[in-house]
Amino acid sequence: MPNIKSAIKRVKVAEKANAANAQAKSAMRTTVKKAEQALVAGAENAPELVAAASKALDKAASKGLIHKNAAARKKSRLAAK
């Protein structure tokens, strides 16, 4: 642990941001996984799940959790399925 006050604060802020980013990224992955499973199963609500996954990918890209091209690639592959 650092001794300097500003460095201590940066460590705390970084830990908090890391936890929030991990939670958001996990939620995004879960949404995408549910959409993929619905597409494979041929579920009735698959279009809504794909739309939700697309929204989650865009949100993650805007927050910098994943690269915007990665989000576009994943959305494209979901739409193609």
Side-chain angles (χ1 to χ4, degrees):
M1 193 71 175
N3 294 325
I4 298 166
K5 190 173 184 180
S6 61
I8 291 170
K9 183 176 181 181
R10 288 307 315 158
V11 167
K12 289 180 183 176
V13 169
E15 285 175 354
K16 195 173 181 181
N18 196 11
N21 288 340
Q23 183 180 15
K25 202 166 186 179
S26 176
M28 183 249 332
R29 285 193 194 117
T30 303
T31 310
V32 171
K33 191 181 288 185
K34 282 183 181 177
E36 286 175 345
Q37 288 172 346
L39 287 169
V40 170
E44 299 170 3
N45 63 343
E48 294 126 35
L49 291 174
V50 169
S54 179
K55 183 178 176 181
L57 286 165
D58 283 336
K59 194 169 184 180
S62 71
K63 290 177 179 280
L65 296 177
I66 59 172
H67 195 273
K68 67 183 179 91
N69 290 357
R73 181 180 66 243
K74 289 175 191 284
K75 283 170 46 180
S76 175
R77 288 179 180 171
L78 261 180
K81 287 180 184 176

